[in-house]
Amino acid sequence: MSGTDAARVEILGAGVIGLAVADELRRRGHEVRVVDPAPARGASWAAAGMLSPAAEVWHDEPALLDLGRRSQASWPSWGDRLGVPLTRGGTLLVGLDADDLRDVKRQATLVRSLGGRVEDLDGARVRALEPTLAGRVLGGVLLPDDHSVDPRRVLAALLDRVPVQRDPGPAGWAEVTVLATGASLPSAYAARLGPGLVRGVRGEVLRARSDDPPTRPVRGWVRGRPVYVVPRADGEVVIGATSEEHDQPPVVTLGGVHRLLDAARELVPGLDRAELLEALARDRPGTANGLPLVGPTHDPRVVLATGHFRHGVLLAPLTAELVADHLESGRVDPATDPRRLLEDR
Ligand code: GLY
C-alpha cells in the first residue's frame, strides 16, 4: 500500500519500536491496532537508554552512525511530546589500563573521522568530571553530544498514548502488517521471509540503587571487557551489558552477572555499596550487516521495523518516521531497506 489515504495498520510488537510507529501513525490519522501478549517487556524493558550514536559505533559503521545521528536529532522534540526528559551532559568513554585506553583512543579516532565531537581527557580530568571513578582509571574521552533517557518512562508514556491488545483480533482487518517483534519474528512470517533474518544476541543487564552514582553515562573497557554504567535521576544505575550469540532462551547467568559486577565495580568502586534491584536478560535483534530492517518486503502487505540490535531506543523516532513515510509515499531509506537481505530468499 502507498498513498496518502488513511490506512488500517496492524503492528505486531509493543516494544519501543512498535509503540513509536503506532504513535506516529495515529498522529498522522491512520487506524492502528497494536498486538503484543506482553507489552513493553521485551528488549526495550532492559535497555539502558543511551542516546549515543558515537559511543555505539564500534566498527567502521558510518551508515549506522548516520542513522543514529538523524534519530538523535529527533529525540529532543520527541521526548518533549512524550513528556520524558533527556539527561544531557555527554558520555564518558574511559579505559582502566593502557590496552583499554588504546581501545578508547581507537574509538575516539573513528568518531572524529566521522565528524563527531570528542574531548580528550587524562586520568585527572576524567576524575574531575566524574569523581566516582576509580583512581586507577588511566584516561578517556568525553563525547559531549551523547545523552541518555529512561526507556521505562518512554514505554510508559507511549503506552498511555497507544492502546495495545494482547490477542490478535479478527484476521483481514489490516491493509498492512508492521513486524516490530524484535529478535523473535512470528513463525508464520519467519517461514515466509526466510530463516535467520534477525538473530538473538543476548544482553544481560543489572539495575542497582547507589548513594554515589556517576552523573553521566560511563562506558569503559576494563582489562579488555566492555561495560557501561548509566545513571538515572533517582540514584538508580543500569549496568550492562553482556553480548552473546546463542539460540537458547535468554536467561541471566551467574557468569554474566559476575563479569558485569566485576567490571563495573572496578570502574566505579562506590557501586560496592549499591543495592541490587534487578538482573535481567533479553535478546537484541541482530542482523547480518548490523543495520536495522525498516521498510518493505516483497509482500506489499508486510513491512518490517526490526533488527535494531543495540540501538532500538536511539532509533525509535527515526524508525517511526521511516515507516509512516513509507506507508504514505512509498519512500524507502536505502540504508535500512529490508529487501537487501531478502533478495536471495
Ligand atoms: N545499547 C546498549 C546495549 O544494547 O547493551
Side-chain angles (χ1 to χ4, degrees), residues 221-303:
W221 280 268
V222 177
R223 282 187 266 289
R225 191 170 290 161
V227 67
Y228 53 74
V229 178
V230 180
R232 305 272 183 250
D234 61 358
E236 200 173 301
V237 292
V238 180
I239 301 167
T242 61
S243 203
E244 201 184 330
E245 306 270 344
H246 73 107
D247 51 14
Q248 305 296 316
V251 294
V252 178
T253 62
L254 294 186
V257 171
H258 174 76
R259 286 193 293 277
L260 288 175
L261 285 179
D262 243 20
R265 284 161 58 235
E266 274 209 74
L267 273 191
V268 184
L271 287 177
D272 230 24
R273 299 186 302 278
E275 176 192 355
L276 182 61
L277 301 175
E278 190 180 20
L280 65 171
R282 293 289 187 276
D283 277 340
R284 310 175 182 89
T287 64
N289 67 354
L291 290 169
L293 301 164
V294 181
T297 63
H298 298 309
D299 179 344
R301 290 160 307 162
V302 179
V303 167

Side-chain angles (χ1 to χ4, degrees), residues 24-35:
E24 181 64 17
L25 288 173
R26 281 164 60 95
R27 219 168 67 88
R28 298 191 191 192
H30 301 283
E31 280 186 72
V32 171
R33 180 162 87 185
V34 186
V35 182

Side-chain angles (χ1 to χ4, degrees), residues 50 56 228 241 284 310:
M50 287 170 286
E56 284 272 340
Y228 53 74
R284 310 175 182 89
R310 303 174 66 100

